[in-house]
DNA sequence: GATGCTAACGGCACTGCGTGCCGTTAGCAA
DNA sequence: TTGCTAACGGCACGCAGTGCCGTTAGCATC
């Protein structure tokens, strides 16, 4: 395919940082197109490198494996999330901060709808690529869980570790749901609007603040108290309510 | 290592179904021990096969890849979960059914503590093995989400798809948390007791009864509490509610 | 404009994973 | 004893991923 295979001195496109980004993207696009066209297994790394006009060895200087070729560099997004968490106000709702963090992931997909949609058809079809995607989601989820754990711990939450893992998984799942819907729509729907709704559902479920509205199920006790009551009275009344049949409205 | 390499006719241990299980386990144990002893990358498939007394080609008749060697056959557990969901009473809480399903996964680990603990140190250390583990968790999570989605849809839940994905992720995360703690304890703690607590937290967060709005006037504080909350939590939440501006619905 | 330095690139060779193919052999039935 | 079937071992092959090295573009310096 290449007209000048042994030409001395190809363009050194990867010399500068900007050049590296460009070549990386060229390789990604080439990989995606070849995978879609000829199938993942049928496409060799040589094919991808040749399509991008570089040597096979260079490919592996840009991607650690054949599967990685179609994915963006998650490391940068991860760093952005870490920075957002580090700079976050401790007075903010931790779960909402986590949602803001994972929104950076969403944005990284939104910034390149064409590639994202094509990649989705691949991760939806090819098992090794799907596994890689899942592994990267797990990396994000771990970062979320770590942040939430420290926040929950300083807030004195009981079972902080468990809560953090569960909440992180929920936030990640909400993000994935929105992302999938957006990808299935071909990148046309309003992802951020969907994300707001989805995150609201998670925040409501996991908010550690006194919730504005609560789901009243069989195991919920509603206590109505005068604000002038002393704390001791309150405790007494609450413990009475928690006994079977003692709830004021259950 | 094998004393009789070209002996005609090794034992056909894999002939019967029971024999296959036995040889599979032998290969798994050999792989785990070799990975722990010599390192994952340093250990070749030939080493594993030789340690188990079979040929390299036979190894790949039992495992699809080198990474798969240390994992149990998730397919069986997945089938058990599907059957549990199929036979589940539709009047049961869907999230609780999902927890019951994922408990089957927990049990599969508990049934072989020795291998599970050793495997954990590997998945905790070796990136490719961790990725495989994450991928298998995702498979379970998808089954949970599919069940929850149909249940939520027939229950007429709004955003059933989103809720199902998020709840499935939460259930899976709670399971993983319990499993990790149990593995870190060396398989000594009471995993089922931990699981009950962890699942309770998820069920509370995702119970799907219609939300109830509470309105109060300036002199009344309405606090809605989960009966599973500890007294300390209750006091903390109540005192927060009694502070000006801290009320949940005042 | 000539020279030296640095870093990216291409090519080569090598290890090892995963697979298709085939001859061999154990287990079982007739 | 004979024939059938299925698991096994060995062989060869393609390809992923890596270490090594010579080459070359880009840049600074004289």
């Amino acid at each position: 395919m290449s007209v000048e295979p042994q030409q001395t001195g190809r363009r050194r496109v990867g010399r500068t940082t900007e050049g590296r980004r460009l070549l990386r993207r060229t390789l990604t696009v080439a990989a995606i197109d070849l995978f879609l066209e000829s199938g993942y297994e049928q496409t060799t790394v040589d094919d991808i490198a040749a399509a991008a006009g570089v040597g096979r060895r260079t490919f592996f200087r840009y991607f650690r494996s054949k599967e990685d070729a179609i994915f963006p560099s998650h490391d940068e997004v991860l760093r952005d999330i870490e920075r957002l968490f580090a700079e976050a106000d401790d007075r903010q709702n931790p779960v909402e901060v986590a949602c803001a963090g994972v929104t950076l992931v969403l944005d990284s997909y939104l910034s390149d709808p064409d590639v994202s949609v094509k990649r989705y058809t691949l991760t939806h079809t090819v098992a090794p690529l799907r596994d890689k995607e899942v592994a990267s989601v797990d990396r994000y989820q771990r970062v979320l869980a770590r942040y939430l754990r420290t926040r929950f711990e300083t807030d004195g939450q009981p079972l902080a570790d468990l809560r953090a893992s569960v909440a992180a998984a929920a936030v990640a799942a909400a993000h994935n749901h929105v992302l999938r819907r957006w990808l299935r729509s071909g990148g046309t729907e309003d992802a951020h609007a969907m994300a707001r709704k989805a995150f609201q559902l998670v925040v409501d479920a996991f908010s550690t603040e006194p919730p504005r509205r609560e789901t009243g199920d069989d195991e919920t006790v509603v206590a109505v108290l005068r604000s002038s009551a002393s704390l001791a009275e309150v405790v007494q009344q609450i413990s009475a309510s928690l006994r079977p049949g003692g709830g004021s409205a259950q």
Side-chain angles (χ1 to χ4, degrees), chain A:
Chain A
M1 190 65 74
S2 183
V3 189
E4 54 270 343
Q6 67 269 31
Q7 179 189 15
T8 64
R10 247 189 215 108
R11 278 273 286 290
R12 297 291 266 303
V13 73
R15 181 80 192 193
T16 64
T17 304
E18 193 53 35
R20 276 192 71 88
R21 294 185 97 107
L22 203 71
L23 178 51
R24 186 187 167 90
R25 185 183 166 77
T26 303
L27 285 165
T28 295
V29 172
I32 288 178
D33 289 342
L34 284 171
F35 289 168
L36 286 174
E37 187 183 335
S38 314
Y40 171 74
E41 293 185 356
Q42 282 67 35
T43 305
T44 68
V45 174
D46 284 282
D47 297 334
I48 303 169
V54 297
R56 160 194 168 76
R57 196 63 185 81
T58 298
F59 173 90
F60 285 107
R61 289 193 177 95
Y62 282 80
F63 298 100
R64 302 180 58 182
S65 68
K66 178 182 172 184
E67 300 98 48
D68 282 338
I70 71 165
F71 293 105
S73 62
H74 293 294
D75 291 329
E76 298 176 9
V77 182
L78 280 167
R79 271 196 292 275
D80 292 344
I81 295 175
E82 300 264 24
R83 194 171 58 232
L84 186 144
F85 287 164
E87 297 170 355
D89 185 357
D90 279 3
R91 305 176 63 89
Q92 284 182 278
N93 184 326
V95 181
E96 287 180 357
V97 175
C99 291
V102 87
T103 301
L104 295 178
V105 184
L106 186 63
D107 288 336
S108 79
Y109 282 83
L110 296 183
S111 69
D112 200 341
D114 224 52
V115 167
S116 296
V117 170
K118 286 183 179 175
R119 184 194 298 124
Y120 176 65
T121 64
L122 285 170
T123 56
H124 198 248
T125 307
V126 184
L129 298 178
R130 180 174 52 78
D131 288 356
K132 272 286 169 183
E133 172 93 348
V134 170
S136 72
V137 169
D138 185 67
R139 290 183 62 191
Y140 289 117
Q141 194 168 316
R142 282 163 184 266
V143 173
L144 300 184
R146 194 152 52 88
Y147 168 73
L148 289 174
R149 184 165 53 83
T150 61
R151 287 295 312 272
F152 287 170
E153 279 173 354
T154 58
D155 288 1
Q157 280 281 329
L159 305 172
D161 202 0
L162 169 64
R163 287 185 132 87
S165 292
V166 173
V171 170
H175 164 269
N176 292 338
H177 175 86
V178 170
L179 181 57
R180 269 199 306 272
R181 274 204 53 161
W182 180 77
L183 291 168
R184 274 203 282 263
S185 79
T188 60
E189 294 184 2
D190 186 348
H192 281 116
M194 289 192 291
R196 270 193 300 277
K197 284 187 182 178
F199 290 155
Q200 189 59 49
L201 187 142
V202 176
V203 169
D204 284 347
F206 286 101
S207 224
T208 61
E209 311 291 318
R212 293 185 195 84
R213 26 179 218 141
E214 191 52 282
T215 60
D217 61 316
D218 290 338
E219 298 175 4
T220 302
V221 175
V222 178
V224 181
L225 307 159
R226 294 188 314 280
S227 59
S228 61
S230 73
L231 198 57
E233 270 183 272
V234 168
V235 171
Q236 187 181 6
Q237 192 164 341
I238 290 294
S239 7
S241 299
L242 289 178
R243 278 183 225 112
S248 60
Q250 67 176 3

